[in-house]
């Protein structure tokens, strides 16, 4: 039994390692053939689910999707609209059901997968501006919180910092900026090792830190 368990764990680790390697080597191929079907399944389900007007929506990619927001904030109606592998263009294309529902608050974090695909920070920032403008126009009562893209591997540092500066400048008149980047940053320019085990996604301590940083914005005005 122990041998079978060890072999199973080995296979799981090998599978994860293979996906990570393929993502780093062929990001567009992985996005098209592995992540796009997941995106379509999630979006089709979201279209069938109604949002209450008092909902607090968390919108983004896998970093948002993996957060247990309804448990971090049990006293609010926390709705998770994160999709693993999503990009700024993906959010633009699935935004309509959210703006139609007119949630009370919306927390946005998106853009790290765009960087992984080699998209220019200026284009990513422009897409985020489009997202925020659309929410502001179609659901003016929604309080919008734009959260900075988090650190990841050191080689992404320059691009992430450029992107965050552009996003902050482009959206500050329409939203509240929440700069999470510095508190997740390690001295070598990567994400802190105690907050992530793959230099991208978050461990429990990472979500606790994120939760504590945004908790004050959950209080109704």
């Amino acid at each position: 039994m122990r041998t079978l368990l060890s072999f199973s764990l080995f296979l799981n680790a090998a599978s994860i390692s293979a996906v990570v390697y393929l993502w780093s080597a062929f990001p567009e191929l992985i996005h098209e053939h592995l992540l796009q079907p997941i995106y379509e399944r999630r979006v089709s389900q979201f279209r069938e689910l109604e949002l209450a007007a008092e909902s607090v929506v968390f919108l983004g990619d896998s970093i948002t999707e993996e957060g247990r927001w309804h448990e971090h904030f049990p006293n609010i109606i926390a709705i998770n609209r994160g999709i693993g592998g999503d990009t700024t263009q993906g959010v633009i294309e699935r935004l309509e059901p959210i703006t139609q529902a007119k949630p009370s608050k919306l927390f946005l974090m998106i853009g790290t997968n765009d960087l992984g695909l080699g998209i220019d920070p200026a284009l990513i920032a422009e897409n985020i501006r489009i997202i925020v403008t659309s929410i502001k126009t179609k659901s003016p009562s929604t309080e919008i919180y734009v959260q900075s893209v988090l650190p990841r591997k050191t080689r992404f540092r320059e691009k992430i910092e450029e992107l965050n500066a552009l996003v902050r400048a482009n959206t500050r008149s329409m939203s509240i900026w929440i700069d999470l980047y510095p508190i997740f940053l390690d001295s070598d320019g990567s994400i802190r090792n105690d907050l992530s085990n793959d230099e991208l996604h978050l461990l429990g301590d990472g979500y606790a830190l994120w939760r504590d940083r945004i908790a004050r914005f959950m209080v109704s005005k």
Side-chain angles (χ1 to χ4, degrees):
M1 179 64 72
R2 184 173 299 176
T3 301
L4 288 175
L5 178 60
S6 298
F7 185 64
S8 176
L9 291 173
F10 169 77
L11 288 178
N12 288 336
S15 298
I16 293 170
S17 298
V19 170
V20 170
Y21 168 75
L22 289 171
W23 173 255
S24 62
F26 310 103
E28 294 182 359
L29 185 67
I30 289 295
H31 195 272
E32 179 180 354
H33 294 287
L34 179 62
L35 299 179
Q36 187 62 27
I38 296 173
Y39 171 88
E40 292 173 359
R41 291 196 295 271
R42 293 284 195 278
V43 171
S44 66
Q45 183 176 181
F46 291 160
R47 289 197 187 107
E48 300 299 320
L49 299 172
E50 293 187 7
L51 294 176
E54 62 270 28
S55 299
V56 175
V57 174
F58 292 84
L59 180 60
D61 49 42
S62 60
I63 300 173
T64 294
E65 181 185 23
E66 292 178 8
R68 299 299 184 256
W69 303 112
H70 63 291
E71 294 179 85
H72 285 299
F73 299 106
N75 296 322
I76 66 172
I77 303 175
I79 304 297
N80 195 327
R81 288 295 181 265
I83 298 179
D86 207 1
T87 62
T88 53
Q89 186 59 44
V91 169
I92 290 171
E93 293 173 3
R94 64 185 176 96
L95 197 57
E96 189 65 25
I98 297 173
T99 56
Q100 283 181 345
K102 296 178 171 50
S104 63
K105 302 173 189 286
L106 186 143
F107 289 80
L108 174 69
M109 181 190 288
I110 195 69
T112 197
N113 290 319
D114 298 66
L115 290 174
L117 290 168
I119 299 173
D120 185 81
L123 179 56
I124 304 169
E126 174 59 17
N127 279 350
I128 293 174
R129 186 196 66 79
I130 291 170
I131 292 167
V132 173
T133 301
S134 180
I135 298 167
K136 191 71 175 177
T137 301
K138 297 177 181 178
S139 183
S141 62
T142 299
E143 297 173 15
I144 308 169
Y145 300 87
V146 177
Q147 303 162 114
S148 59
V149 169
L150 301 180
R152 46 189 301 182
K153 291 182 178 180
T154 305
R155 66 185 177 89
F156 285 96
R157 180 175 189 171
E158 183 177 344
K159 294 294 186 182
I160 292 173
E161 292 181 355
E162 179 184 356
L163 173 59
N164 284 336
L166 289 169
V167 172
R168 182 174 189 174
N170 287 355
T171 63
R172 61 187 171 189
S173 66
M174 300 177 286
S175 63
I176 295 171
W177 173 254
I178 301 177
D179 194 4
L180 298 169
Y181 180 83
I183 61 175
F184 282 80
L185 185 65
D186 208 343
S187 58
D188 66 353
S190 67
I191 191 169
R192 287 167 46 185
N193 290 333
D194 60 321
L195 304 179
S196 174
N197 61 357
D198 66 356
E199 295 188 291
L200 178 60
H201 300 94
L202 300 182
L203 294 166
D205 285 348
Y207 282 106
L209 185 62
W210 186 353
R211 176 201 62 211
D212 293 345
R213 178 65 178 84
I214 67 176
R216 65 190 179 95
F217 298 112
M218 297 301 166
V219 180
S220 298
K221 293 181 179 179

